[in-house]
Amino acid sequence: MNYLKRRYTSILTAVLPCVAYNLYFLFLLPEVKVSYLLYLDFLIAVGMGLWFCADYSRDRLRQRKKQEFLERDSVIWKEFRDGEDADIMAHDAALLEEQLKEQFAMNCEQQDYFAGWCHEVKIPLTASLLLAEKMKESSLKQSMKEQLERINLQLRNAMLGAKLQSSLFDLKVGRTSLLQCVKNSVHNNQFFLIRSHFTLEIEIGEGEEVFVYTDPSWLTYVLDQLLGNAVKYAGKQPKLKIYSRKREDALQLCVEDNGEGIKESDIRRIFEKGYTGSNRYNGKYKSTGMGLYMVSVILGKLGHEILVESEYQKGSRFTITFRDIREYLQLDQA
């Protein structure tokens, strides 16, 4: 019975033309002997019978083989490439879904472990920074503190980067002081800004406190990346200007430097994952190509936009646009 259900279409395709031919023979060719028709029908029936017997035998073998494979914990569609049986597809889909869930859970556990490990490492790192402050030899103290600050900065970036891709990632969007986020980022990078003798100019709100709706910790991380790039590609007499400006339905935060700048051939790709630009060929800069990629991912999740303008050998300006906050105000009032 199951075989007939599976071959229902094939049987109809074979039988209907025969029935149609018989009707044509009987009603439109009455002068022809019926014995000819019967003989032809006999030959067709024998041929069809032999074909269906062979097909039935193949189908039985295929069903036994399918039942054996369905009991396996592996993908089996390659063994049944015709794709006729929905059971095979359902088996493979369920198996792949389970494998994806297991892999996702493993990745989340690894990322959560890494984020927790970063928190633990920060404790002895902070203690090492305090010990470095007590060193008397100034050159050794400066060298030691620089390396510890580099570790601290990279550890903070790694921790937030792992958090971004793990189940721990959570946006806490709220009314946030833009100036405070800028100050936090400057504090995080103060050692390198001072060491590179940066002239820093901050103009946020023109005397008024400016608030935006964002996640302060993630916005600070974004600013850390921009300030870190400004330090990395600083030119002579480095300057850094951070200022805000209002637009009709938005507010913009600009981070502007007078460093190396970005080549025109690179500027369209700097937010791509792993893209390090043409400067990687001269060995002057060490870059993973992940910083600005993470910036674009985070700002995308926050609903902000980022635009870069640059002139090679003259400097760059990154502009973050915060959209109209009325949507958030309506949610707060609801």
Side-chain angles (χ1 to χ4, degrees), residues 107-120:
N107 290 342
C108 287
E109 287 178 4
Q110 290 177 349
Q111 290 164 347
D112 293 350
Y113 169 78
F114 181 70
W117 178 84
C118 289
H119 279 290
E120 293 298 322

Side-chain angles (χ1 to χ4, degrees), residues 11-26:
I11 293 173
L12 284 181
T13 303
V15 171
L16 288 178
C18 293
V19 172
Y21 180 75
N22 277 266
L23 293 174
Y24 171 80
F25 192 95
L26 292 173

Side-chain angles (χ1 to χ4, degrees), residues 83-101:
E84 291 181 358
D85 205 316
D87 292 341
I88 297 170
M89 303 304 167
H91 169 274
D92 286 358
L95 182 64
L96 291 173
E97 183 179 4
E98 186 64 27
Q99 290 176 351
L100 285 174
K101 286 181 179 179

Side-chain angles (χ1 to χ4, degrees), residues 182 198-203 239-243 254 256:
V182 171
F198 264 83
T199 299
L200 183 62
E201 183 178 348
I202 299 177
E203 298 177 0
K239 297 179 181 179
L240 185 62
K241 183 177 181 180
I242 306 174
Y243 58 96
C254 301
E256 185 177 312

Side-chain angles (χ1 to χ4, degrees), residues 188-203:
N188 291 340
N189 293 271
Q190 65 178 343
F191 176 84
F192 301 102
L193 292 171
I194 295 172
R195 187 204 60 178
S196 299
H197 306 290
F198 264 83
T199 299
L200 183 62
E201 183 178 348
I202 299 177
E203 298 177 0

Side-chain angles (χ1 to χ4, degrees), residues 136-152:
K136 296 181 179 180
E137 187 177 342
S138 59
S139 60
L140 182 60
K141 174 181 177 180
Q142 184 73 6
S143 178
M144 179 66 73
K145 188 174 181 182
E146 178 179 351
Q147 298 307 317
L148 290 173
E149 287 289 353
R150 285 182 181 276
I151 295 173
N152 189 32

Side-chain angles (χ1 to χ4, degrees), residues 237-250:
Q237 298 180 340
K239 297 179 181 179
L240 185 62
K241 183 177 181 180
I242 306 174
Y243 58 96
S244 64
R245 57 190 184 188
K246 292 183 179 179
R247 290 296 179 260
E248 183 177 351
D249 59 349

Side-chain angles (χ1 to χ4, degrees), residues 196 198 227-234 260 284-288:
S196 299
F198 264 83
L227 268 60
N229 278 349
V231 172
K232 184 187 298 182
Y233 302 111
E260 292 286 334
K284 183 178 179 181
Y285 306 111
K286 293 181 180 180
S287 176
T288 62

